Amino acid sequence: MNDLMNLAAREGAEEFRLEAGQPPVMVVQGRARALDLPSLSEDNVTELLRSFASPEQIEELRRCGDVRFNHLFQNSAKFAVVALMQHEHISLRLKNLGR
């Protein structure tokens, strides 16, 4: 996840979209583009979320089907995180809020 956040800072990304079966998508200047990376598995997305979400946030996602929170990655960039669960599949959207 840290590599993605560092890439976001370098590229000036406004948002990341992470979904199983798709490569990570980065939005820069309003244009979405898939990164030249392998498609993410459900386990990849879950592991990425668990790498920065609290146990309480994970539980809220399981109970409610979504969770929203802000997260500061390594004191470099703040992101608004939206995690959605649909039919046992998690998708993540991370909007760059800057520093």
Side-chain angles (χ1 to χ4, degrees), residues 10-92:
R10 279 196 318 270
E11 298 287 326
E14 300 150 14
E15 182 177 284
F16 270 106
R17 300 174 187 162
L18 307 172
E19 187 174 341
Q22 304 290 324
V25 171
M26 183 170 59
V27 179
V28 178
Q29 295 182 344
R31 299 184 74 185
R33 69 174 170 99
L35 299 179
D36 188 21
L37 295 170
S39 293
L40 297 167
S41 70
E42 189 64 39
D43 287 342
N44 295 143
V45 177
T46 300
E47 286 177 37
L48 287 169
L49 178 61
R50 288 185 186 278
S51 74
F52 62 88
S54 71
E56 294 80 15
Q57 291 161 334
I58 300 290
E59 180 58 28
E60 183 175 340
L61 175 62
R62 286 182 356 98
R63 271 193 347 266
C64 302
D66 69 78
V67 65
R68 298 160 197 272
F69 58 94
N70 291 340
H71 185 76
L72 181 64
F73 286 92
Q74 292 187 339
N75 297 321
S76 61
K78 188 175 184 179
F79 285 80
V81 179
V82 177
L84 302 171
M85 181 175 283
Q86 297 175 348
H87 308 290
E88 302 296 319
H89 298 288
I90 298 172
S91 64
L92 301 174

